[in-house]
Amino acid sequence: MATLKKIGEELGLSVATVSRALNGFPEVKEATRQRVREAADRLGYRPNRVAQRLVTGRSGMVGMIVKIKPDMSADQTFFEMLTGLTAALSERETDLVLAVDQAQDPVLPYQRMLERDVLDGFILNAPVPDDPRVTFLQERGIPFVLHGQDRACPSYPTYGIDNFAVSTDSVRLLAQLGHRRIALINGEVSAAFARDRLTAFEAAMDTFGLGKDLIRTGATLESHGYSQALDLLSGEAPPTGIICTSTVVAAGAMRAIRHLGLHVPGNVSIMAHDDALPHTRAINFEPALTVTRAPMRDACAPLAHMLVDHLNGKPAHELQVMLRADLIIRCSTGPAPKPETPDGP
Amino acid sequence: MATLKKIGEELGLSVATVSRALNGFPEVKEATRQRVREAADRLGYRPNRVAQRLVTGRSGMVGMIVKIKPDMSADQTFFEMLTGLTAALSERETDLVLAVDQAQDPVLPYQRMLERDVLDGFILNAPVPDDPRVTFLQERGIPFVLHGQDRACPSYPTYGIDNFAVSTDSVRLLAQLGHRRIALINGEVSAAFARDRLTAFEAAMDTFGLGKDLIRTGATLESHGYSQALDLLSGEAPPTGIICTSTVVAAGAMRAIRHLGLHVPGNVSIMAHDDALPHTRAINFEPALTVTRAPMRDACAPLAHMLVDHLNGKPAHELQVMLRADLIIRCSTGPAPKPETPDGP
DNA sequence: AAAATTGTTCAAAACGTTTAAAATTTGCTT
DNA sequence: AAGCAAATTTTAAACGTTTTGAACAATTTT
């Protein structure tokens, strides 16, 4: 393996100069830099990461812990994240070390990982409100980036979408279309994103003077969407608009709507938040689904770069990104149906 | 962070002695070792992995590349492997670095990973016959362990089950129960395991003098099992015994059998190979499924240890394990039905 | 009592890089 | 042609560990 020393000997230069030449330091003569570059290429030089890491005091590895549900099913978003993160991190010469969490205690796997490995930082995802992992890492001064938002004014890097706006935009759209009975099929309220969407949903419904009785929670699967939509639509005063926590849940809800012989958007308008995961494409729904859209994949590169920037000393307050999801109006939403007049015209 | 030097200063010992004391070298006086251990504990010493790696010339990281199917669905076995591998590798002070493969070229991601990272070796899984990744890594002298077997007499560490025996045992069981028409619903024949099972299935059928016309391939999903079993059972001379490539496929096949109003094992015996993944439990089938069983999880620790042993110089020929899957006879297999006598008794 | 043996510890080199400080070369000014 | 500043390069230390060879001390052998 070619080393700086070998290149130096080859060219009659010191190791230091070779190092600086390759690292783009300005004090190296351009002619020298060329010679060094040429020799490095010729000898197939690759910097020894381990040596770099020793001297810089950084391991070049960041950790992420994969939460696995009791049934061992993978979080749908996981592969999406893994793909994007490894790609983006490798641009910054950083490796992603994974561990799998099967424990109940949310901080235990982080503790164990820190005991075992030399890690520069963490990527945290799927926060719960006031996430205990955040507290744990902050107490120990371990850098991290949070994908999402677990509290109001974080003092650490975060990247996420504005989940309040997701609900606000959704409710406004349906309300402006004349819907009065709007349902929310929300995710697990233990998740921070779902709590935020719920809060904003209630606020928005208040704003429009609408009732907040059509709220369901805990939907993650298609089957949840199905059963909860069925339940909502079979009630005394069924919704004419349904906001779903995800496209998967929306698929279930649509199945329920069809099952009841109703039409979208004639009888019921339906929309969802869309993380734009590759397997469920909202545009291929029949009819194409109206969504608030924020591709999960888009978060990967920012998360990676923000973490590395933070490790390089960039202060947390410059590393807080909150995007607004796009509102994409397709065919699954339309004007509220005319109220039924049972006693005829 | 406590270092060897600090401990040495604390005790008036040299770094070398401290290092040896902690690493269990025999030439250190027991009293000294105790003092060192105590001081290390007290100061919370953790060896600096990076420094260890620099001096030993090893990175302490091994790579694995996750293949993702076009639909981005995770291989069901992946999380199982990830969990087991990270746990076992961490016992050997080794980290698992993951990359995601979306490319067509099977070796490209390995090439890229080697360019980018300092990796001591690889874990290869899901081999195809004469796997090109094997060739690639062998040419470059990169150590690896293969989970499975891609060729007859490998010169590198392998760990897997005897897929020939899987078919042989399955066919023998059904044949001895009197079945004459035995079907195989196999996996993708591009996979080495499926090719081996096919070869052995044909050989075993020959041995028993049975016909080999009931072979289907490419089954990975429940729906494949359903449609292929439906197809087989609707044929002119339907099978009385079906061997499935996996429990998931068997679930589909059972659904087809039920759909046709047939009974297991009265009309049709069915069995499968069982990787014992957590989400589908063969024993919970109705009726409980007869299987050849080899838990995927059992492979993780051996794979990890074999790779690290190999990195430590253990020769490949001592690192070749081929286990025989257990044959577990449950309620889904039974005697072949009496041949129908259409013209009555 | 000297020599040999064994047990224990130490000093120093090595791994490959980065970087601060010192040294040298170059170019410019007078 | 000397003086000086700027540009470029080198020397050396540092990161924390492992490991070689030497040194020292304690013990045994002669």
Side-chain angles (χ1 to χ4, degrees):
Chain A
M1 205 56 195
T3 65
L4 290 183
K5 195 158 123 197
K6 244 179 232 148
I7 299 178
E9 283 166 3
E10 186 92 1
L11 300 174
L13 286 172
S14 73
V15 192
T17 306
V18 178
S19 169
R20 279 196 260 258
L22 291 172
N23 288 323
F25 279 57
E27 65 262 38
V28 176
K29 187 159 55 165
E30 204 47 42
T32 313
R33 195 189 304 280
Q34 287 310 324
R35 288 201 301 146
V36 171
R37 285 232 181 90
E38 182 276 326
D41 278 356
R42 184 160 41 79
L43 300 175
Y45 171 76
R46 320 240 86 230
N48 181 323
R49 283 288 165 67
V50 177
Q52 285 181 325
R53 287 164 184 187
L54 179 61
V55 71
T56 57
R58 294 250 298 270
S59 73
M61 301 194 291
V62 300
M64 186 165 118
I65 288 172
V66 190
K67 231 182 293 176
I68 287 195
K69 300 185 191 141
D71 65 344
M72 283 291 271
S73 75
D75 192 305
Q76 290 207 334
T77 65
F78 169 70
F79 271 85
E80 188 73 2
M81 294 290 287
L82 183 63
T83 311
L85 282 176
T86 51
L89 285 171
S90 79
E91 282 175 26
R92 306 293 295 266
E93 312 281 277
T94 304
D95 287 311
L96 182 64
V97 180
L98 281 181
V100 176
D101 166 23
Q102 302 162 296
Q104 313 81 333
D105 181 356
V107 305
L108 197 65
Y110 291 84
Q111 206 158 10
R112 277 215 272 259
M113 208 165 175
L114 285 169
E115 282 168 11
R116 213 176 49 221
D117 291 319
V118 201
L119 292 177
D120 297 329
F122 279 97
I123 294 168
L124 259 53
N125 65 356
V128 300
D130 296 309
D131 201 296
R133 302 171 298 169
V134 167
T135 320
F136 174 81
L137 293 175
Q138 277 197 306
E139 276 171 2
R140 281 161 186 71
I142 314 280
F144 63 93
V145 189
L146 179 66
H147 182 212
Q149 194 165 23
D150 75 319
R151 63 194 65 184
C153 293
S155 56
Y156 40 83
T158 59
Y159 181 97
I161 60 164
D162 184 344
N163 280 302
F164 294 93
V166 164
S167 282
T168 311
D169 290 349
S170 302
V171 170
R172 183 188 306 111
L173 173 66
L174 293 177
Q176 288 176 347
L177 285 166
H179 294 270
R180 311 292 300 163
R181 308 264 320 142
I182 301 176
L184 173 67
I185 302 184
N186 204 7
E188 303 271 7
V189 276
S190 59
F193 82 90
R195 182 206 48 180
D196 291 350
R197 289 196 202 153
L198 175 61
T199 307
F201 177 82
E202 294 178 329
M205 292 297 275
D206 281 345
T207 305
F208 288 97
L210 304 176
K212 296 171 295 187
D213 54 316
L214 299 170
I215 295 174
R216 296 290 184 278
T217 58
T220 53
L221 306 177
E222 199 266 359
S223 59
H224 299 150
Y226 177 78
S227 59
Q228 299 193 345
L230 211 56
D231 180 51
L232 284 163
L233 292 166
S234 318
E236 296 221 335
T240 63
I242 301 180
I243 300 170
C244 295
T245 186
S246 69
T247 52
V248 173
V249 167
M254 273 202 177
R255 184 157 62 89
I257 294 169
R258 272 196 302 276
H259 184 257
L260 292 169
L262 298 172
H263 290 95
V264 174
N267 308 109
V268 186
S269 282
I270 180 166
M271 63 184 299
H273 179 71
D274 185 7
D275 288 322
L277 299 173
H279 17 295
T280 331
R281 301 197 173 282
I283 199 164
N284 294 336
F285 276 54
E286 185 50 46
L289 191 65
T290 293
V291 294
T292 50
R293 186 171 192 276
M296 189 65 72
R297 175 67 67 97
D298 290 358
C300 297
L303 277 169
H305 293 298
M306 284 169 69
L307 179 52
V308 179
D309 286 345
H310 191 45
L311 294 174
N312 289 338
K314 199 163 177 181
H317 63 84
E318 292 177 25
L319 294 167
Q320 284 164 349
V321 178
M322 185 182 261
L323 295 175
R324 190 169 187 125
D326 294 324
L327 178 61
I328 301 180
I329 301 174
R330 298 206 182 89
C331 311
S332 68
T333 45
K338 293 275 171 291
E340 274 185 45
T341 47
D343 35 13
Chain B
M1 204 57 192
T3 64
L4 290 183
K5 194 159 124 198
K6 244 179 231 147
I7 298 178
E9 283 166 2
E10 186 92 3
L11 301 174
L13 287 172
S14 74
V15 193
T17 307
V18 177
S19 169
R20 280 198 262 258
L22 292 172
N23 288 322
F25 278 58
E27 65 262 37
V28 176
K29 188 158 52 165
E30 203 48 43
T32 312
R33 194 190 304 280
Q34 288 310 324
R35 287 202 303 147
V36 171
R37 286 232 181 91
E38 182 279 324
D41 278 358
R42 184 161 41 78
L43 300 175
Y45 171 76
R46 321 240 86 231
N48 182 323
R49 284 286 165 66
V50 177
Q52 286 181 325
R53 288 165 184 186
L54 178 60
V55 71
T56 58
R58 295 248 298 268
S59 72
M61 301 194 291
V62 300
M64 186 165 117
I65 289 172
V66 190
K67 232 181 295 177
I68 288 194
K69 300 185 192 141
D71 64 343
M72 283 291 273
S73 75
D75 191 306
Q76 290 208 334
T77 66
F78 169 70
F79 271 87
E80 187 73 3
M81 294 289 288
L82 183 63
T83 311
L85 282 176
T86 51
L89 285 171
S90 79
E91 283 176 25
R92 305 294 295 267
E93 313 280 279
T94 303
D95 288 311
L96 182 64
V97 180
L98 282 181
V100 176
D101 166 23
Q102 304 162 294
Q104 311 82 334
D105 181 357
V107 305
L108 197 65
Y110 292 84
Q111 207 159 11
R112 277 214 273 257
M113 209 164 172
L114 284 169
E115 281 168 11
R116 211 177 50 220
D117 291 319
V118 200
L119 292 177
D120 297 330
F122 279 97
I123 294 168
L124 259 52
N125 64 357
V128 300
D130 296 309
D131 200 296
R133 301 171 300 168
V134 167
T135 320
F136 174 81
L137 293 175
Q138 278 197 306
E139 276 170 3
R140 281 160 186 73
I142 313 281
F144 63 92
V145 190
L146 179 65
H147 182 213
Q149 195 166 22
D150 76 318
R151 64 193 66 183
C153 293
S155 57
Y156 40 82
T158 59
Y159 182 98
I161 59 164
D162 184 344
N163 280 302
F164 294 93
V166 164
S167 283
T168 311
D169 290 349
S170 303
V171 170
R172 184 188 306 114
L173 173 66
L174 294 177
Q176 287 177 347
L177 286 166
H179 294 270
R180 311 290 300 162
R181 307 262 322 137
I182 302 175
L184 172 68
I185 302 183
N186 204 8
E188 303 270 7
V189 277
S190 58
F193 83 89
R195 181 207 47 179
D196 292 349
R197 290 195 202 156
L198 175 61
T199 307
F201 176 83
E202 293 178 328
M205 293 296 275
D206 281 343
T207 305
F208 287 97
L210 304 176
K212 297 171 293 189
D213 54 313
L214 298 170
I215 296 174
R216 295 292 184 278
T217 58
T220 54
L221 306 176
E222 200 267 358
S223 59
H224 298 149
Y226 177 77
S227 59
Q228 299 195 342
L230 211 57
D231 179 50
L232 284 163
L233 293 165
S234 320
E236 296 221 335
T240 63
I242 301 180
I243 300 169
C244 295
T245 187
S246 69
T247 52
V248 173
V249 167
M254 274 202 177
R255 184 158 63 89
I257 294 169
R258 274 195 303 276
H259 185 257
L260 291 171
L262 298 172
H263 289 94
V264 173
N267 306 109
V268 186
S269 283
I270 181 167
M271 61 185 300
H273 179 71
D274 185 6
D275 287 322
L277 299 173
H279 17 296
T280 330
R281 301 197 173 283
I283 200 164
N284 295 337
F285 276 53
E286 185 52 44
L289 190 65
T290 294
V291 293
T292 50
R293 186 172 191 273
M296 189 66 71
R297 176 68 66 96
D298 291 358
C300 298
L303 277 169
H305 293 298
M306 284 169 70
L307 179 53
V308 179
D309 287 344
H310 191 46
L311 294 174
N312 288 338
K314 199 163 178 181
H317 61 85
E318 293 176 23
L319 294 168
Q320 283 164 348
V321 179
M322 184 182 262
L323 296 175
R324 191 170 187 123
D326 294 323
L327 177 62
I328 301 181
I329 301 175
R330 299 204 182 89
C331 312
S332 69
T333 45
K338 295 275 171 293
E340 274 185 45
T341 48
D343 32 15

